[in-house]
Amino acid sequence: MILMPYVNKLIKSGVPISVILLVLINAFVYFGPETYDARRFERNSAQYVESILPKIELPRYVDYLKTRREVQKARRIESLISRQAVLQALSVMQNDEEFMKQLRGDRIITQEDDNFEQWRGARIRFDSLFETRFVERFEFKSAAPSALTALTHQFLHADAGHLLGNMLTLILIAPAVEALIGTRRFLLGYLAGGLGAVAAFWAWRLHMPPTALIGASGAVSAAMGMFAVLFGLRRIPFFYFVVVYFDIVRAPALLALPIWLANEALQLFWLGQGNVAYDAHFGGLLTGAAIACLWRRPALLKLMEAEGEISTPQPTKEPLERARRMMGAQRFDAARRNYARAAKATENCHVLRECWNVVGLAPTTSPEYHTVAIAILRQESLDPEISNLVTRVFDHYRKNARPMPKISPNMLAKLAQRFLHMRQPAELEVVLRLMRNVAPTHPLRAELTKEAMLLMSEEGEGMRAKALENLL
């Protein structure tokens, strides 16, 4: 499963300096020292083929695999030997850290072997050539961890596909993160995330055969973790791919974090013996998420500024225009937040109605829903249009607001006065009952109740007026 945020217009930013720098460094290392390594390995491997090493070591490697009951792998090596594909067999053997440890420790080919001295000299010469490789020096080895290789392994890659996949993910996600927290903080978080990834890799494999780690995927995973935490509950578009089905869906950014973690954990337990370091990905995600928590507040302020939610008061026209632009761009969460700001700053009935028509469709637990409803209910104008809007919003708000309506006792008193003026017995009764429940000692409650009873009697609502007596 692939789940990737579609981030091209989430936040305006300048040139993503750190992202460009990281891509250039990774590309330089791969196409520079690593490419030279590959050519030198080919030359060294040719020497290996011409020496006595393959005739002695490869059959012993097959025997070693069989004793460990790795029958399928043993058959593969035998097939490569029979087809004279010595270099492929050598590559598999050299990457088997446990076997190479025993081989170099004279436990595979012992001093009792007839060809021991000849083999030993050839092996030492080949190892001296092999160990000068750039990758060999700077990859992280679980059997020989070091602070240097914990950092340098992040800039090495096994092949072009490995490099392309990591850099493409970095380019898609990291610019938005860098725009929120700045170049220096992003670089620090990226590198620290790579260290967290290698720590998880090393801890997970403490009791496993020695192995090595290369690649930027742990640090890139940290960038993904930072992205999810920094954008939090903001709904953003995600591209997802499952087997053969793909689509784009809008969801809270933070929701991606547990999905990514679960995906890496599942593959770690399912495919843990493969060539992909899912444990490092898992550690990188957690480290990046933890680091992002330190910079969540300034990032949130920057997001609010980018979406037109700065805290200083502004004329109604500006948040209203921003809200309309956000609606046109289908950024509905940002639009509702700006409509809420516009409603708080206006008494214009048409603007208030527009705000309600949009925000009234939002979840009734959202702060924007409560804000717009209260902004309308607090209106003091007795204009018929405003009064009709207040009545409609009051009916919807009292029935649907969760966890409960946020109408103050004084606002209830003003609503009672409005409904008395409008001669609306049904709404008046509801307001007075709410006052009895939330503000039984309010100084105007008794007077308003008596006026309501008189109105209801005049309107032929004797039964309703009688019921109000219980509220006195």
Side-chain angles (χ1 to χ4, degrees), residues 135-213:
V135 172
E136 185 75 14
R137 283 182 288 155
F138 294 110
E139 66 184 2
F140 180 85
K141 298 180 178 67
S142 62
S146 74
L148 175 64
T149 58
L151 182 66
T152 56
H153 86 279
Q154 302 177 35
F155 301 97
L156 305 174
H157 289 87
D159 51 46
H162 190 199
L163 173 69
L164 180 63
N166 281 335
M167 294 303 99
L168 182 60
T169 305
L170 184 69
I171 291 169
L172 287 174
I173 289 181
V177 179
E178 182 178 351
L180 285 180
I181 62 178
T183 298
R184 291 183 180 179
R185 284 180 173 177
F186 173 74
L187 278 174
L188 178 62
Y190 177 89
L191 295 175
L195 295 178
V198 83
F201 172 86
W202 179 71
W204 181 259
R205 297 168 190 254
L206 271 177
H207 304 293
M208 295 183 184
T211 186
L213 176 66

Side-chain angles (χ1 to χ4, degrees), residues 15-26 170-171 178:
V15 178
I17 297 172
S18 63
V19 177
I20 294 173
L21 180 64
L22 289 168
V23 171
L24 289 176
I25 292 174
N26 278 278
L170 184 69
I171 291 169
E178 182 178 351

Side-chain angles (χ1 to χ4, degrees), residues 45-46 48-50 54-55 58 75-91:
S45 298
Y48 182 87
V49 173
E50 294 170 0
K55 297 177 182 178
L58 293 180
R75 288 175 180 170
R76 179 188 173 197
I77 300 300
E78 287 178 325
S79 174
L80 291 172
I81 294 172
S82 66
R83 291 187 282 114
Q84 297 185 341
V86 174
L87 294 184
Q88 293 181 8
L90 170 63
S91 178

